[in-house]
Amino acid sequence: METKKTVRAAERALDILLCFTEAPELSLTEIARMTDLNKSTVYRLLATLEEKGFLIRDGDTEKYRLGFRIWELSTHLSQSDDPAILFLPEMEKLRDAIEETVSLYVRDGYERIRVQAVESNQAIRRVAPIGARMPLAVGASSKVLAAFSEPSEQALILGDPGWPETVDQGEYLQQLQRIKKEGYATSVEEREAGTSAVAVPVFDRHGKIVAALAVSGPVGRLTVDRMKEVVPHAIEAAERMQKMMKK
C-alpha cells in the first residue's frame, strides 16, 4: 500500500512539473486546474518541489517557475545519446548553408516535440521554441515521423482521439506513401499561416527513424521551388547525423 502511495505522489509531482511546458510561470490555482488536483494536494507537492530546488516561488506574484535543479539535470544529458545535443553542430551547418531556421522533432505518442532548433539569422525568420508540441496530423515533420514509422505505429497515430475532422485519414495515408517514396515532405501554410517547411527523416544505424529534420521559413522566401533546392542539403545533413548515432 505504501509503495502505491509513493508512486502516485511521484506521478502527481511529475504532472506538476509538466505543466511548465505550457507556460513559464503558473499560480497554485492554475496548476490545480491543469492537473485536476485539489489545491491542498498541489500546495503540499509544490512545497516539496520548491524545497528540493525544482521550482521557485515568486514572493510578489505568488507564481511558480522552474528552479535551477532542472537546469542542473539537463547539463548531464549524454551527448552520445541525446539527438538534441548530438546533432546540433550539423543543424548549425545546415542553417548556415540554407539561411533558414532548422528544427529537430521527435515523436511522443500522438504529438511531435521540437527538441532542438537553430534559428535563421535573417531579419524575418521562423521563431522555433524548443519544447513545443504539435499534432501529427499536419505539418511536414509530422508526416515524415509518421511515414517512416512501422505500420503498427501508423495505426496508433490514426487512432488519435483528438484527430482533426478537417484531415481526411485516407488522403493522409496516401501522402505518407508518397513521402516514404520521395524521402521528404513539404508543407505550405498547413499548420501555421505564413510559414512553409520541408522535412526529412533521420535514421539510426539500423534504419529506424529517430527524428525529423526540418527547415522552415516564411512562404515568400521558402517557396516550393526553394524547398526542392533545400532537400539535398537536408538529406546530406540527415545522413551525416545517422553516422553519428551509436551502433
Side-chain angles (χ1 to χ4, degrees):
M1 182 65 68
E2 186 64 31
T3 300
K4 290 183 179 179
K5 288 183 179 178
T6 302
V7 171
R8 191 176 185 188
E11 285 186 25
R12 288 175 168 178
L14 291 171
D15 285 340
I16 287 175
L17 291 177
L18 289 172
C19 288
F20 291 89
T21 62
E22 304 292 330
E25 293 187 334
L26 294 167
S27 66
L28 185 153
T29 300
E30 291 170 327
I31 295 170
R33 175 178 52 79
M34 294 170 73
T35 57
D36 198 25
L37 297 171
N38 61 63
K39 289 185 178 181
S40 61
T41 299
V42 172
Y43 179 80
R44 291 194 298 271
L45 291 168
L46 286 173
T48 300
L49 290 169
E50 183 182 4
E51 181 182 353
K52 294 294 184 180
F54 289 96
L55 292 178
I56 296 174
R57 182 173 62 88
D58 188 312
D60 295 327
T61 65
E62 293 298 317
K63 287 195 172 186
Y64 294 83
R65 64 180 186 273
L66 293 176
F68 296 114
R69 186 68 66 180
I70 296 290
W71 310 120
E72 288 179 27
L73 289 174
S74 67
T75 61
H76 293 287
L77 286 171
S78 171
Q79 292 194 18
S80 62
D81 297 329
D82 184 8
I85 298 174
L86 184 66
F87 297 154
L88 182 57
E90 283 297 335
M91 293 176 66
E92 292 175 336
K93 288 180 184 178
L94 180 60
R95 185 272 314 274
D96 293 343
I98 50 94
E99 298 183 325
E100 297 292 354
T101 295
V102 177
S103 301
L104 190 73
Y105 294 90
V106 298
R107 179 187 160 217
D108 182 27
Y110 298 126
E111 299 175 306
R112 60 177 160 115
I113 306 174
R114 184 183 285 116
V115 295
Q116 187 60 278
V118 181
E119 290 186 12
S120 166
N121 292 321
Q122 300 204 50
I124 300 176
R125 61 184 183 271
R126 173 74 174 86
V127 178
I130 296 173
R133 286 177 173 267
M134 297 157 222
L136 290 172
V138 293
S141 296
S142 292
K143 292 175 184 177
V144 161
L145 290 170
F148 292 91
S149 294
E150 297 295 327
S152 59
E153 293 296 310
Q154 291 182 4
L156 289 175
I157 293 170
L158 292 171
D160 181 1
W163 187 271
E165 295 182 359
T166 54
V167 180
D168 180 83
Q169 291 195 348
E171 183 179 341
Y172 179 83
L173 283 172
Q174 290 180 356
Q175 291 179 26
L176 298 190
Q177 292 174 359
R178 183 173 67 252
I179 290 166
K180 191 169 185 179
K181 180 180 179 180
E182 296 178 347
Y184 69 94
T186 62
S187 63
V188 178
E189 296 188 299
E190 191 169 301
R191 193 191 62 80
E192 183 178 350
T195 300
S196 57
V198 56
V200 300
V202 179
F203 301 106
D204 63 16
R205 288 178 176 261
H206 302 288
K208 182 178 180 180
I209 186 168
V210 294
L213 178 65
V215 174
S216 58
V219 292
R221 195 168 64 226
L222 194 58
T223 62
V224 173
D225 288 340
R226 176 55 179 157
M227 284 191 281
K228 290 180 180 178
E229 295 174 352
V230 166
V231 168
H233 296 279
I235 290 176
E236 288 177 4
E239 290 175 344
R240 289 193 295 270
M241 290 175 177
Q242 181 178 9
K243 294 177 182 178
M244 298 168 69
M245 298 290 288
K246 283 185 174 182
K247 293 182 180 180

